Amino acid sequence: MSELKGNLKSIVHHHEKHTPRGTIPVQLVFEAEPSNVDSIIKRLEENGIGIIRVDEERMIEHGAVLLIGHIVHTDIQDTIESIDKTGYAEVVDISLSMPHIESSSSASLKIDAVGRQELYNAIELLKNIANKKDLLVIEPIQLT
């Protein structure tokens, strides 16, 4: 894995299941550059490891922030698109509360990013946008 610049994150042995050949299925989770995935799969297969399925998760860091202010009136779609257009982060969920049409609203935004630094960058971008739109951003204490 390390020769191909992959990082093994976890191994799960499914002892309760058996394949038709009587072997135990194993689930591997690893991080790798997209350009290295095919080489890693080839190397695993060359070593007698059968691959049943490959799933790709590009966004590996997750965070959430709160916005407070006139969120809808200041074009929430524009705010979301600004983050999505970065190519390294996306708003994947939003929960909006609007108590009264003239009152401030609040929204929880969940943001996924390709890495920790990119998540911080996306939150900084959101803070700059929020500042221009007179919105308050409440950041998470800890990003996961």
Side-chain angles (χ1 to χ4, degrees):
M1 208 50 76
S2 63
E3 287 176 24
L4 297 169
K5 298 185 174 143
N7 181 28
L8 187 60
K9 303 261 307 190
S10 70
I11 300 174
V12 179
H13 298 86
H14 298 278
H15 293 285
E16 69 283 354
K17 299 177 185 177
H18 287 82
T19 68
R21 294 183 308 167
T23 60
I24 296 172
V26 177
Q27 178 181 0
L28 300 175
V29 177
F30 60 88
E31 291 177 337
E33 291 295 322
S35 59
N36 293 341
V37 172
D38 289 338
S39 298
I40 291 170
I41 291 169
K42 181 179 177 186
R43 182 80 57 90
L44 290 169
E45 289 174 337
E46 286 172 353
N47 285 289
I49 299 171
I51 308 294
I52 295 173
R53 185 179 77 217
V54 176
D55 294 330
E56 181 180 329
E57 183 179 329
R58 196 170 87 78
M59 304 292 184
I60 60 171
E61 294 293 333
H62 315 283
V65 296
L66 296 176
L67 288 178
I68 299 173
H70 291 285
I71 298 165
V72 176
H73 296 3
T74 58
D75 192 5
I76 187 66
Q77 182 176 351
D78 171 69
T79 303
I80 293 168
E81 286 176 356
S82 295
I83 294 170
D84 290 353
K85 285 180 188 176
T86 64
Y88 59 77
E90 297 175 351
V91 175
V92 296
D93 189 39
I94 182 170
S95 177
L96 180 67
S97 174
M98 299 180 354
H100 300 288
I101 197 160
E102 296 301 322
S103 298
S104 292
S105 50
S106 61
S108 168
L109 272 68
K110 291 184 182 175
I111 302 171
D112 288 356
V114 297
R116 184 165 296 275
Q117 184 59 51
E118 290 82 1
L119 181 57
Y120 285 119
N121 293 348
I123 292 173
E124 284 301 311
L125 174 61
L126 178 61
K127 287 168 41 179
N128 289 334
I129 294 167
N131 186 44
K132 292 175 186 170
K133 294 183 176 188
D134 197 28
L135 302 172
L136 173 65
V137 177
I138 300 175
E139 296 181 65
I141 294 172
Q142 181 177 2
L143 300 174
T144 59

